[in-house]
Amino acid sequence: AQTVTQSQPEMSVQEAETVTLSCTYDTSESDYYLFWYKQPPSRQMILVIRQEAYKQQNATENRFSVNFQKAAKSFSLKISDSQLGDAAMYFCAYRRNQGGKLIFGQGTELSVKP
Amino acid sequence: SAVISQKPSRDICQRGTSLTIQCQVDSQVTMMFWYRQQPGQSLTLIATANQGSEATYESGFVIDKFPISRPNLTFSTLTVSNMSPEDSSIYLCSVSQRMNTEAFFGQGTRLTVV
């Protein structure tokens, strides 16, 4: 069975600084998708970024980028120029190809200090 | 992206009663899912809602406790039956327009059982 692990329950970053959230996963499959979701206090799950396993190039979305290391089964999220609005719970998630359902990590609560 | 309306947004219920949560999408989607998020925890998949047939439940979840309907490609309901305080959680509806596209989430239903 696939598993997703986020080893950092809490992280803190100064406004305008950079922070990296860690995620590792375990799977025997070669084709899959990885995601980072953000959940602010409003409870709404918001997709931050997605990575297809077959792509070597790391995904980037504005201030958000990932470091995808397929051999190491590592998928970290880097947030540059952190803003107060980035404060939220961040979940790493895995989905196998043609699978549909998501498997989530435990989450990392990010706080941003002004 | 799909716009998802989930109702109610929150409720406080007496133990032994049932609550039905609705999920309405503004476009036809292939896949609909129901997740549970217990206090301070990550998301766990309850079941995949299948249009016109019985839902597919994950290990640990049963139809008698969480009956699900999906009469068409834009609507689904989840019922939490014979509730106990342990059912106090956030319940989230999620949709994907196709098998390998992003999953979008409703705003969640915060259920408190007293």
Side-chain angles (χ1 to χ4, degrees), chain B residues 25-84:
Chain B
V25 192
D26 68 341
S27 59
Q28 293 185 345
V29 294
T30 301
M31 312 197 75
M32 297 183 78
F33 306 91
W34 288 98
Y35 289 85
R36 181 177 73 180
Q37 186 177 22
Q38 294 177 301
Q41 302 296 315
S42 185
L43 285 74
T44 301
L45 181 67
I46 297 172
T48 303
N50 300 310
Q51 192 255 329
S53 64
E54 189 173 291
T56 303
Y57 289 85
E58 297 296 305
S59 176
F61 297 96
V62 295
I63 188 171
D64 289 345
K65 177 66 176 178
F66 298 101
I68 289 171
S69 77
R70 188 178 174 191
N72 55 52
L73 293 176
T74 63
F75 185 77
S76 177
T77 65
L78 167 73
T79 299
V80 185
S81 303
N82 188 25
M83 288 183 285
S84 67

Side-chain angles (χ1 to χ4, degrees), chain A residues 18-77:
Chain A
T18 296
V19 64
T20 298
L21 309 184
S22 301
C23 173
T24 59
Y25 59 94
D26 188 26
T27 183
S28 59
E29 300 179 346
S30 60
D31 199 7
Y32 49 86
Y33 298 80
L34 296 165
F35 305 87
W36 279 97
Y37 281 88
K38 168 185 176 181
Q39 187 181 41
S42 66
R43 306 193 304 267
Q44 180 76 52
M45 291 287 285
I46 302 166
L47 178 65
V48 175
I49 199 164
R50 115 182 202 157
Q51 174 79 44
E52 293 87 345
Y54 64 84
K55 290 185 177 179
Q56 292 186 336
Q57 186 174 5
N58 290 322
T60 299
E61 288 287 343
N62 300 315
R63 297 183 295 107
F64 299 87
S65 61
V66 299
N67 183 4
F68 173 49
Q69 301 290 327
K70 191 173 184 179
K73 296 180 182 176
S74 171
F75 182 61
S76 61
L77 174 70

